[in-house]
Amino acid sequence: MKSADQIGLVQGDITQQETEAIANAANSKLAGGGGVDGAIHRAGGPQIMAELKANYPQGCPTGQAVITSGGRLKARYVLHAVGPVYSGRPKDAQLLASAYRSCLSLCSQHGIRTVAFPSISTGVYRYPVEEAASLALHTVTDYLTTHPEIALVRFVLFDTNTYAAYHHVLARLQTL
Ligand code: ADP
């Protein structure tokens, strides 16, 4: 099986996912914010923020990720990834790829076999969605090629445009 076949796409709300882990698009202070971060903290309850404050008081550098429980979510874990604020410089792509890889590496370390991702950095952080979709899907595909312990990566895209951008890239990857 090609690794792109282990990637799924749905349009929807990531807080409702039943994958073992969901990823969050966090900020480097892990301080809570709007967008998907706000939705995850609202749905998961105060336990998630309490764990972040206790375990990562220094925050998380851009391009990396930390793990907490899922609080009241159906998912057992939340992976708090910090993507870059888009600047138009080459390092944006490195940092965004690294944020996805850090989440996947946490999955491997914690025995997490199914994980859902939002479109990191394409909201308030303004990363162009076509570029971000290509980078996210290629980075995940590459990782899965060498990490058979992960069975499913599902992207949960909130709006029609974002879903269409990811669908366009994934359709090509799956026919390669
Ligand atoms: P960033 O600061 O990394 O850009 P945002 O939360 O602003 O993060 O946006 C990232 C993406 O998450 C956007 O496409 C936004 O529409 C989407 N999003 C917002 N709420 C949800 C949700 N509940 N489930 C999935 N995606 C969401």
Side-chain angles (χ1 to χ4, degrees):
M1 191 166 78
K2 296 193 301 284
S3 54
D5 295 334
Q6 287 154 257
I7 300 177
L9 297 185
V10 292
Q11 191 177 339
D13 177 356
I14 201 166
T15 65
Q16 301 307 309
Q17 286 294 308
E18 296 185 5
T19 46
E20 289 165 70
I22 65 171
N24 181 16
N27 55 58
S28 60
K29 292 184 176 158
L30 302 174
V36 69
D37 186 86
I40 288 173
H41 283 286
R42 272 195 303 282
Q47 168 75 19
I48 298 175
M49 186 54 79
E51 285 179 43
L52 287 173
K53 286 205 158 80
N55 299 334
Y56 313 103
Q58 73 286 15
C60 175
T62 304
Q64 294 186 34
V66 300
I67 188 167
T68 65
S69 79
R72 293 196 300 254
L73 294 169
K74 293 171 191 161
R76 186 163 168 213
Y77 298 102
V78 178
L79 312 168
H80 303 264
V82 183
V85 177
Y86 187 71
S87 70
R89 298 193 193 101
K91 74 166 197 271
D92 294 341
Q94 289 163 29
L95 290 169
L96 187 57
S98 167
Y100 281 101
R101 275 196 298 269
S102 297
C103 289
L104 293 165
S105 169
L106 285 169
C107 290
S108 297
Q109 288 165 40
H110 291 266
I112 296 164
R113 290 174 46 79
T114 60
V115 56
F117 281 101
S119 179
I120 298 170
S121 283
T122 65
V124 173
Y125 283 2
R126 298 184 318 273
Y127 210 115
V129 68
E130 286 79 11
E131 281 175 49
S134 179
L135 195 75
L137 287 163
H138 283 93
T139 301
V140 170
T141 304
D142 282 353
Y143 189 90
L144 292 177
T145 306
T146 51
H147 291 84
E149 71 275 12
I150 298 180
L152 172 71
V153 175
R154 179 180 292 146
F155 283 85
V156 181
L157 293 329
F158 206 49
D159 57 87
T160 312
N161 278 351
T162 307
Y163 179 84
Y166 279 72
H167 186 267
H168 180 73
V169 177
L170 186 62
R172 286 179 175 217
L173 275 173
Q174 287 177 334
T175 53
L176 287 178

